[in-house]
Amino acid sequence: MGEMTNPAKSNKATVPTKSGKTYTYNYESLDQVLAAIRPPLMAHGIGLTQPMDWNEVTGCWVLRTVVFDAEERLELDVRPVYPTADAQTSGSFETYMRRYALRSAFGLCGEDDDGQVATNMAREARSKAARARAGATAPGQQKAPATAPQNGPDRKKMLARCAALAAEFIERGGNHGSTEAYMAACFGTEDMSALTDEQIIELGKHLNEVVGQLREQKGNQQ
């Protein structure tokens, strides 16, 4: 719809880098995304909802972005959500997923600062991928096992752990699109559930690293 514009980004976060420097970026809240989407939809008599339901096949919750009018109902986006035992972390991750799903469903893009963050993430991801192809590992880091369980509770635990770390990253001020940019650059997908076990392990290491940096920054500020 031509009436829809990209939501304004009035929230700012600062993230430390490995070199000891920091970078800042702006991001929009879920309320700001909805404020950009709902008025044009309502002007055309279209409703919007994002229900969540349990998928017995995949064994996880699924978030659906749905538009509807008096005659028709259409799913625009479907993606898995992995709650954790921590209610606050789960809530943050769910809010992020709702926001990201809306941006994806309606083709809303970010501003240049988010694009620069994604570029930086992609550059780092390509470097890590190159080291992996060469069989190298970062100093002090053990190489990920060649094989890992493909199904069952171990995989679900790994996905839940990655989801929790991704949510904590956002909660501590991390870029809302960085995890997806990293997965797209490294693994060719933004869907965490589509990763192999080895890729989930690599993602977990990456998230542990960036979340650790944010934790350290907060500790230094106290």
Side-chain angles (χ1 to χ4, degrees):
M1 291 182 180
E3 303 96 327
M4 244 177 237
T5 58
N6 291 324
K9 298 187 173 186
S10 60
N11 300 288
K12 180 175 287 188
T14 302
V15 180
T17 64
K18 290 183 179 180
S19 63
K21 299 180 180 180
T22 61
Y23 65 85
T24 62
Y25 62 89
N26 297 322
Y27 66 95
E28 76 276 12
S29 67
L30 176 59
D31 287 343
Q32 288 172 315
V33 176
L34 289 170
I37 292 173
R38 277 179 170 160
L41 290 178
M42 292 175 66
H44 290 270
I46 300 173
L48 170 69
T49 183
Q50 287 187 296
M52 282 183 58
D53 56 75
W54 180 257
N55 189 312
E56 294 290 348
V57 177
T58 60
C60 69
W61 290 94
V62 175
L63 173 67
R64 306 179 189 277
T65 299
V66 181
V67 291
F68 60 91
D69 59 17
E71 299 178 353
E72 188 177 3
R73 177 185 174 94
L74 177 65
E75 283 189 355
L76 301 180
D77 187 272
V78 179
R79 60 187 63 227
V81 176
Y82 301 95
T84 66
D86 183 88
Q88 184 175 1
T89 300
S90 291
S92 297
F93 185 65
E94 181 184 336
T95 298
Y96 161 65
M97 291 297 287
R98 290 183 184 278
R99 172 187 170 278
Y100 187 80
L102 288 169
R103 284 183 56 177
S104 176
F106 293 97
L108 301 177
C109 63
E111 295 177 355
D112 290 343
D113 50 3
D114 267 348
Q116 183 60 52
V117 172
T119 299
N120 294 339
M121 293 291 295
R123 186 180 297 116
E124 178 186 351
R126 286 194 295 270
S127 175
K128 288 189 176 183
R131 288 201 304 267
R133 286 194 296 271
T137 56
Q141 183 181 41
Q142 293 184 349
K143 191 173 182 180
T147 59
Q150 295 296 323
N151 294 294
D154 289 337
R155 177 179 174 83
K156 290 181 179 180
K157 288 179 181 178
M158 289 191 294
L159 284 170
R161 176 57 178 165
C162 285
L165 286 170
E168 183 178 351
F169 175 70
I170 295 166
E171 190 175 81
R172 290 180 180 274
N175 177 30
H176 284 263
S178 292
T179 300
E180 285 70 25
Y182 176 87
M183 289 192 293
C186 269
F187 313 126
T189 180
E190 295 183 358
D191 184 356
M192 196 180 293
S193 65
L195 301 179
T196 66
D197 286 357
E198 287 80 5
Q199 290 170 340
I200 296 172
I201 292 172
E202 181 65 26
L203 175 63
K205 290 179 179 179
H206 165 73
L207 290 171
N208 264 319
E209 181 179 344
V210 295
V211 169
Q213 291 173 357
L214 293 178
R215 289 170 179 165
E216 183 178 353
Q217 182 194 36
K218 183 177 180 180
N220 293 337
Q221 292 175 343
Q222 293 178 343

